[in-house]
Amino acid sequence: MEFITLNNGVKMPLEGFGVFRVPDPVQCEQAVADAISSGYRLIDTAAAYMNEAAVGAAIKKCDVPREELFITTKLWVQDASYEGAKKAIQVSLDNLGLDYLDLYLIHQPMGDYIGAYRAMEEAYKEGKIRAIGICNFSPARFVDFCETVEVKPAVNQVELHPFFQQENALATMKEYGTVPEAWAPFAEGKYGIFTNSILTDIGQKYGKSAAQVALRWNIQRGVVVIPKSVHKERIDQNIDIWDFTLTDDEMKQIAELDMGHSEIVNHDDVMFIKMLHGLRIHE
Ligand SMILES: NC(=O)c1ccc[n+]([C@@H]2O[C@H](COP(=O)([O-])OP(=O)(O)OC[C@H]3O[C@@H](n4cnc5c(N)ncnc54)[C@H](OP(=O)(O)O)[C@@H]3O)[C@@H](O)[C@H]2O)c1
């Protein structure tokens, strides 16, 4: 495993394990246990995934020391305010059974996220969180955010895969020392990514799958990846990406796959924003 150093000196693994859409606690705990035994140390959950307790159970039972793990969770829209975030941080810590988080992210650029971030800055300064950041901030919103807050975000977790590469967003994050983290590094399985001929042809040369090539490509752009799987053999496969390097020509071939837009989410879609505001995770 390789690491990237965040803007506050904290070291973050370049690859982690995501648990979005794994609501069943038994399956989630098993998947996280499998991931940790495969060598993953970063686990990416969120209050809205409703599986923090299952992630916590796997952490508690594993034999890896807490300081070697890197646990991320996220603040949901419903709690996006100063008081809401103060409570939500403690609820997530309690759900996970932890006394500190490695990374805490604002899940969506919605609600009073500036107020929420103030509570996160306080928790960061108190040592309850080792690094703080955001998700889904488009370049203009990201710049506005960075120019407003005191503690610059360590990470911006956004959709990044071969079909939506967002080079402009990466350049803007670099300007502010923020590390990009890819959600949906496999485009959630869309566009035939696992059988795409450019990715499979490149993979053949190294004895790797299209999935492994897609992860490697993001890592070589300095992007942290958090692939999700509930299948042990895929969990193993997805972390077996540290023994090969894509050439500049192969990176350029993958660059050709960029569609320049997302077909997964649209933060300018009125119905999508209303839907997220309506998604309540507690009373
Ligand atoms: N901040 C945000 O707004 C946000 C949004 C979305 C996701 N995320 C985070 O990013 C993580 C990853 O994104 P994601 O879960 O949406 O999608 P993803 O990782 O791009 O894709 C997951 C899909 O790929 C399949 N898969 C995994 N490895 C495979 C392999 N080697 N071969 C073939 N199929 C494979 C999985 O199936 P099986 O599970 O059946 O193997 C699942 O259907 C999430 O889990 C979450 O932690 C964050």
Side-chain angles (χ1 to χ4, degrees):
M1 180 61 62
E2 289 174 21
F3 292 80
I4 191 159
T5 304
L6 302 178
N7 58 12
N8 63 355
V10 166
K11 289 197 183 335
M12 176 178 187
L14 262 169
E15 183 173 20
F17 183 70
V19 294
F20 181 36
R21 294 203 186 99
V22 194
D24 177 63
V26 176
Q27 188 179 44
C28 183
E29 185 180 333
Q30 185 61 51
V32 173
D34 286 345
I36 293 172
S37 76
S38 285
Y40 295 80
R41 294 294 176 263
L42 187 176
I43 309 296
D44 182 90
T45 182
Y49 300 169
M50 307 305 281
N51 58 16
E52 288 176 319
V55 170
I59 293 169
K60 198 170 177 194
K61 287 181 199 160
C62 80
D63 52 12
V64 174
R66 169 67 185 96
E67 61 275 16
E68 287 180 25
L69 296 171
F70 190 100
I71 308 302
T72 304
T73 192
K74 313 185 191 87
L75 175 86
W76 187 239
V77 177
Q78 187 184 353
D79 297 319
S81 65
Y82 177 73
E83 288 301 333
K86 268 177 98 147
K87 278 192 212 127
I89 291 165
Q90 195 53 52
V91 169
S92 284
L93 283 168
D94 292 347
N95 284 343
L96 285 157
L98 299 176
D99 51 14
Y100 72 91
L101 297 168
D102 295 280
L103 179 64
Y104 192 64
L105 303 174
I106 292 179
H107 204 148
Q108 299 290 348
M110 292 170 56
D112 175 17
Y113 54 75
I114 296 292
Y117 199 75
R118 253 193 302 124
M120 290 164 61
E121 288 173 331
E122 285 177 13
Y124 170 67
K125 287 174 190 168
E126 285 164 16
K128 281 189 191 164
I129 310 173
R130 294 176 68 224
I132 53 178
I134 53 184
C135 304
N136 297 304
F137 276 60
S138 62
R141 216 171 231 167
F142 169 78
V143 169
D144 174 53
F145 186 81
C146 290
E147 296 292 345
T148 306
V149 299
E150 186 196 330
V151 178
K152 300 288 172 252
V155 170
N156 186 14
Q157 185 182 110
V158 296
E159 180 185 346
L160 292 167
H161 49 75
F163 301 95
F164 189 36
Q165 305 190 2
Q166 301 213 59
E167 282 293 341
N168 60 332
L170 300 195
T172 312
M173 288 185 222
K174 194 169 184 185
E175 222 181 290
Y176 285 87
T178 298
V179 166
E181 183 175 28
W183 65 253
F186 299 143
E188 299 186 342
K190 290 187 171 52
Y191 319 111
I193 186 167
F194 300 118
T195 52
N196 175 274
S197 61
I198 291 183
L199 300 177
T200 52
D201 286 355
I202 293 171
Q204 222 161 23
K205 188 171 144 192
Y206 303 102
K208 298 290 176 184
S209 67
Q212 291 167 312
V213 171
L215 294 175
R216 186 72 213 179
W217 163 81
N218 248 333
I219 278 160
Q220 287 185 213
R221 304 196 300 160
V223 172
V224 176
V225 291
I226 44 170
K228 170 263 174 186
S229 177
V230 291
H231 294 99
K232 176 79 171 108
E233 69 283 4
R234 290 178 178 170
I235 291 171
D236 290 342
Q237 181 194 129
N238 295 344
I239 201 175
D240 183 17
I241 57 167
W242 300 99
D243 58 354
F244 75 113
T245 304
L246 300 172
T247 64
D248 290 346
D249 181 56
E250 289 160 349
M251 293 293 285
K252 279 190 200 129
Q253 285 181 53
I254 298 171
E256 296 294 311
L257 293 173
D258 191 18
M259 303 187 317
H261 66 276
S262 170
E263 289 175 0
I264 298 179
V265 294
N266 178 1
H267 281 89
D268 291 323
D269 176 355
V270 170
M271 294 313 289
F272 179 64
I273 299 302
K274 282 187 181 173
M275 187 273 286
L276 294 184
H277 265 290
L279 209 164
R280 319 274 304 167
I281 61 168
H282 57 77
E283 285 299 299

